[in-house]
Amino acid sequence: MTEAIKHNGHPCLTPNSLWNSLHSSFNTVLHRQVDLNILNKVKCKPLQRWNPFSKTEFKSAISKCNDSSAPGPDKLTWHHLKLIIKNDDCLSNIINIADACINLGHWPKYFKISTTIVIPKPNKLSYDNLKAFPLIVLLNTLGKLIEKVIPERLQFIVTFNNCIHPSQLGGLKFKSTSDTSIALTHIVRSGWAKGRFMSTLSFDISQFFPSLNHRLLVLILEKVGLNPKITTFFVNYLIQRSTKYLWNNLSSPRFDVNVGVGQGFALSPILSSLYLSLLFYILENRFKNLKIPISILSFVDDGLFIAQNKSFNIFNSHLFYSFNILSKLLDSFGLVIGHSKTKILHFNRSQGIFNPPPLDLSLLGGPILRPKDLWKYLGFIFNQKLSFHKHIDFYANKAISTVKCMKLLGNLSRGINPLQKCLLYRYCTLPIALYGF
C-alpha cells in the first residue's frame, strides 16, 4: 500500500515516510499568513452571560449519541457513558469538570489526544494521492460529551446576537442541503419573474477545516459577544493537540496538531460558521460599496454567487469582480479557493437557442468556465430549465439498484428475514429515492 502512495512526486516506501507525508499534506497551512487587522471595522456584539451547565443539557446531548460509534483512545463507548451518567453523582462530577474547564480557561491535555483513522474515498480512479484518503478523528469520549454541549450554547448566543450571516445554510442546527437548494430555486424563479437571466458561480474553499487560523478565530469569538472566559477557554482548547494515525494495521508515532479545527469535532461546525460569518459580512459590505448586485449562498465551505441581469456580459463582469474580491478576502483570512471545483451554470427558461459566453477567470489564477447543461451541487442535479428531471432519474435509478442488490442478502429460506429487509428498505433505500423532497 505504501509503495502506491506518492507525495510531491516521490513514492512513500517506508511507514515513516508515509506518516510524515500524510501529516505534512494535511498541515500545509501551518505557516499561512492572515491579516488580523481585517476585523478592525467589525463592530463588537454585546457581551452575553455564560451560565453553569445543567443536567438537562448533558442528558439531551448524550441521548443523541450512537452507541455503535467507534470509541476514542480511552476505549470508552457511548453505551457505557450513558450507564455512568444515570448516576446523579457521576453526572454532577462531569458537569463540575465542564464548568471548571470554562471558568479556568483550560482544556485538559487528556482531552486533546486523538486517534486519526485514514480511510479511502469510494469510487476513486486512483489511490496514489493522499487526497483520496479522508481522515476520521476519534477523541476521548468524555471530552466529546462536553464538546457536544458547548456548541448548543454557542449557537443560541450567536443567533441571539445576529452573528450568523443570512446566507449561511450549513454547519448549524435546523439547516440542511435542502434549505440551500430551496433558497437557490426561489432566487432563480424570482429573477425569472422579473425577466432576467440568472447565473450561479460555485466555489469551494480548499482544506477548509484544517485552514482555520487560531489567532483570527479567537478574535472572531471576541467580536461576536462571547464572555471573555469563553474566549480564554478556546485559546487553550485550540493549542497543544496531538494525534497518531492509523492505517489498517499500521500505527504512527504521535504528531503535534496546532492548526485548524478537526473535521468531525462537535465544535467544528459552529466555529467554522463563525469564522465564515464575519467574512461574508465584510464581503457583502464591499459588494454594496462597489454596487455589485450579487447574492451569496453558503453551505459550510461550498459557496455560491448568484447574479441576475438582462445581459450576459454584464453579469459575467459582476461574477469576475466578485470572484476577485472573494479571493483577496479569503487570502486575508488564511483561506484558498479550490479552483478545480469552481463551476458556472446559467439558468434560462426560454425555448430559443441559448449559447452564453464562457467566464474567463484565468487572470485571477482560476479556470476558464464554460457553461454546461447540468450541474451537481450538494447532491442536487440542476439543469438550465430548473426542471429536476435528471435529479429524479438519477436518484430513482440509484434506489432501484439498491433494491435489486437486496436480493443478494437473502431469500425465504436463508439470509436476512423479511422484517430486516423492510428495515433496510426504510433506512437505506427511501432516503436515496426521496433525497431533496
Side-chain angles (χ1 to χ4, degrees), residues 92-359:
S92 297
N93 289 334
I94 293 174
I95 293 175
N96 290 337
I97 293 173
D99 286 330
C101 289
I102 298 297
N103 293 329
L104 297 174
H106 177 74
W107 191 239
K109 185 177 180 181
Y110 177 76
F111 294 152
K112 297 180 180 181
I113 297 172
S114 64
T115 300
T116 302
I117 311 297
V118 185
I119 59 174
K121 287 183 180 179
N123 304 321
K124 287 289 182 179
L125 296 177
S126 174
Y127 289 93
D128 62 352
N129 191 316
L130 287 170
K131 290 185 178 180
F133 297 87
L135 305 179
I136 303 296
V137 180
L138 302 179
L139 296 166
N140 287 316
T141 308
L142 181 57
K144 283 173 64 176
L145 176 60
I146 299 174
E147 288 188 28
K148 287 180 178 293
V149 177
I150 295 174
E152 298 281 342
R153 287 278 194 92
L154 291 182
Q155 181 163 340
F156 177 82
I157 292 173
V158 299
T159 303
F160 181 82
N161 269 351
N162 293 320
C163 298
I164 301 298
H165 193 274
S167 70
Q168 290 180 270
L169 299 174
L172 302 165
K173 289 182 65 177
F174 313 118
K175 302 290 184 180
S176 68
T177 55
S178 296
D179 296 315
T180 309
S181 176
I182 292 169
L184 174 59
T185 302
H186 172 74
I187 293 172
V188 172
R189 292 197 177 276
S190 297
W192 281 351
K194 298 175 183 177
R196 298 172 179 174
F197 294 114
M198 304 295 297
S199 290
T200 59
L201 177 66
S202 63
F203 58 89
D204 176 83
I205 302 175
S206 179
Q207 289 193 335
F208 174 55
F209 288 98
S211 301
L212 303 189
N213 183 273
H214 290 172
R215 290 187 299 164
L216 189 60
L217 178 58
V218 171
L219 290 177
I220 290 171
L221 296 178
E222 293 175 355
K223 290 286 185 179
V224 299
L226 294 183
N227 191 291
K229 64 183 180 182
I230 300 300
T231 56
T232 302
F233 165 78
F234 276 108
V235 169
N236 186 268
Y237 171 86
L238 293 167
I239 63 173
Q240 298 177 346
R241 289 184 168 272
S242 67
T243 191
K244 70 174 181 179
Y245 298 96
L246 290 182
W247 193 321
N248 294 333
N249 295 324
L250 298 177
S251 176
S252 77
R254 291 218 161 265
F255 288 88
D256 292 333
V257 183
N258 292 314
V259 66
V261 294
Q263 187 171 0
F265 286 17
L267 280 162
S268 297
I270 187 63
L271 292 179
S272 61
S273 295
L274 290 173
Y275 199 90
L276 282 182
S277 183
L278 295 195
L279 185 149
F280 285 135
Y281 275 117
I282 296 171
L283 180 65
E284 186 179 57
N285 287 333
R286 292 187 180 181
F287 286 170
K288 287 181 179 179
N289 293 336
L290 296 172
K291 297 181 179 180
I292 301 177
I294 292 288
S295 302
I296 310 169
L297 282 180
S298 168
F299 190 86
V300 194
D301 56 345
D302 293 307
L304 278 181
F305 284 154
I306 307 171
Q308 49 181 305
N309 205 286
K310 295 184 178 181
S311 167
F312 285 117
N313 291 329
I314 291 177
F315 66 53
N316 260 8
S317 65
H318 287 163
L319 291 174
F320 179 87
Y321 291 129
S322 301
F323 193 83
N324 185 27
I325 295 170
L326 174 68
S327 299
K328 293 179 179 179
L329 187 57
L330 285 174
D331 185 64
S332 298
F333 276 74
L335 303 173
V336 175
I337 292 177
H339 292 300
S340 62
K341 296 183 179 180
T342 305
K343 308 290 181 184
I344 191 170
L345 179 68
H346 298 296
F347 294 97
N348 174 48
R349 59 177 177 176
S350 66
Q351 301 301 321
I353 297 175
F354 184 64
N355 188 25
L359 176 61

Side-chain angles (χ1 to χ4, degrees), residues 388-408:
F388 293 103
H389 291 162
K390 292 292 183 181
H391 176 90
I392 295 171
D393 289 344
F394 175 81
Y395 283 102
N397 288 327
K398 190 173 182 180
I400 291 171
S401 299
T402 305
V403 172
K404 290 182 177 179
C405 290
M406 288 170 58
K407 295 179 181 179
L408 303 175

Side-chain angles (χ1 to χ4, degrees), residues 19-73:
W19 305 132
N20 291 327
S21 299
L22 185 68
H23 187 68
S24 61
S25 66
F26 289 99
N27 291 271
T28 56
V29 300
L30 183 59
H31 302 293
R32 189 179 291 172
Q33 298 298 312
V34 297
D35 181 10
L36 298 178
N37 296 321
I38 195 71
L39 301 179
N40 288 347
K41 295 182 179 179
V42 178
K43 294 182 179 179
C44 293
K45 296 290 185 178
L47 286 178
Q48 298 295 319
R49 291 182 58 190
W50 185 275
N51 296 317
F53 292 110
S54 67
K55 293 182 179 180
T56 303
E57 288 176 291
F58 274 80
K59 289 179 179 179
S60 174
I62 200 170
S63 66
K64 304 170 187 175
C65 299
N66 190 341
D67 291 350
S68 62
S69 295

